[in-house]
Amino acid sequence: GQNIDQPTEMTATEGAIVQINCTYQTSGFNGLFWYQQHAGEAPTFLSYNVLDGLEEKGRFSSFLSRSKGYSYLLLKELQMKDSASYLCAVRSTDSNYQLIWGAGTKLIIKP
Amino acid sequence: SQTIHQWPATLVQPVGSPLSLECTVEGTSNPNLYWYRQAAGRGLQLLFYSVGIGQISSEVPQNLSASRPQDRQFILSSKKLLLSDSGFYLCAWSRGTGSYGYTFGSGTRLTVV
């Protein structure tokens, strides 16, 4: 079957760094996405990885290891506005290129 | 640029009443279109997706239906709402492959009372 796992909730301090992990078991891997979702709002795109390695975009970076079925989202210099849920999603060719979604990690930032 | 519109933003409906949520996409042609539902504190549940006019795939059996009468219009309907239909409904579009993920509409908060 196809499965994506990520921690349910994490807490971090303003100004610090946090890493949100995502492990997946899917067939026909065709890319991994990270989305941010603030409470009551729609998810918004953060990053895309299809090859192994690190993609950096400002304060946010995303890493992928296809052999390990593993990704992480790294958030630096945390701000209060980073309090949100972070969704990991994998696109699978075996699912007609649909995105398979993790349940999301709720990140709580404390002052 | 591409934009996606979804309405209404909030809706309170009695049990047994009908439902119609509409989603339209501008600035692109032949998009893949999706309807998702998200229960409070939960992940995204794919309800329907469409790769073209009149082509609808259902992921979860339920009392909801979807239609795509035009290339960039996607409608979610129900003849009789249940209490369990309450949730946050999201429409999304994508190009299907490549680095393009999904772009979501702003969502509809449905409460069935």
Side-chain angles (χ1 to χ4, degrees):
Chain A
Q2 317 223 54
N3 192 54
I4 297 180
D5 289 313
Q6 43 181 139
T8 303
E9 186 174 298
M10 299 181 69
T11 303
T13 304
E14 189 177 16
I17 299 173
V18 70
Q19 177 175 311
I20 302 174
N21 296 326
C22 170
T23 58
Y24 63 91
Q25 291 122 21
T26 63
S27 51
F29 178 84
N30 192 249
L32 186 143
F33 298 80
W34 283 96
Y35 281 76
Q36 180 190 59
Q37 185 178 24
H38 285 102
E41 299 182 8
T44 55
F45 171 81
L46 285 179
S47 68
Y48 169 74
N49 295 71
V50 67
L51 300 176
D52 291 349
L54 188 68
E55 294 284 341
E56 297 185 80
K57 191 183 294 185
R59 294 189 298 115
F60 292 6
S61 302
S62 57
F63 171 83
L64 174 67
S65 169
R66 289 171 295 169
S67 62
K68 295 182 179 179
Y70 168 70
S71 173
Y72 67 72
L73 180 69
L74 191 71
L75 292 76
K76 303 176 183 177
E77 301 170 15
L78 287 170
Q79 302 175 10
M80 297 303 293
K81 67 178 182 179
D82 296 330
S83 291
S85 288
Y86 292 85
L87 310 178
C88 174
V90 173
R91 185 165 55 213
S92 167
T93 57
D94 287 0
S95 299
N96 293 320
Y97 293 88
Q98 309 304 324
L99 292 189
I100 302 165
W101 296 86
T105 298
K106 182 178 181 180
L107 178 63
I108 300 169
I109 309 297
K110 296 186 174 180
Chain B
S1 63
Q2 300 85 23
T3 57
I4 179 168
H5 303 281
Q6 182 182 343
W7 67 93
T10 59
L11 196 58
V12 180
Q13 293 284 98
V15 169
S17 64
L19 173 74
S20 181
L21 303 181
E22 190 164 340
C23 173
T24 59
V25 180
E26 297 177 357
T28 188
S29 59
N30 198 31
N32 292 344
L33 296 172
Y34 309 87
W35 278 111
Y36 280 90
R37 178 169 59 202
Q38 189 175 35
R42 305 289 295 276
L44 295 171
Q45 179 187 34
L46 178 63
L47 301 175
F48 302 94
Y49 71 93
S50 171
V51 298
I53 297 175
Q55 301 179 57
I56 309 294
S57 296
S58 175
E59 292 293 307
V60 181
Q62 58 219 319
N63 70 323
L64 299 171
S65 62
S67 61
R68 185 170 177 173
Q70 301 179 44
D71 181 45
R72 289 169 288 178
Q73 183 184 30
F74 205 23
I75 298 172
L76 182 69
S77 304
S78 174
K79 293 182 178 178
K80 290 185 177 181
L81 284 169
L82 306 172
L83 287 175
S84 58
D85 291 325
S86 294
F88 190 44
Y89 288 81
L90 289 157
C91 179
W93 79 274
S94 78
R95 290 195 180 96
T97 60
S99 64
Y100 304 111
Y102 290 10
T103 301
F104 289 86
S106 54
T108 297
R109 176 77 56 194
L110 172 66
T111 304
V112 183
V113 296

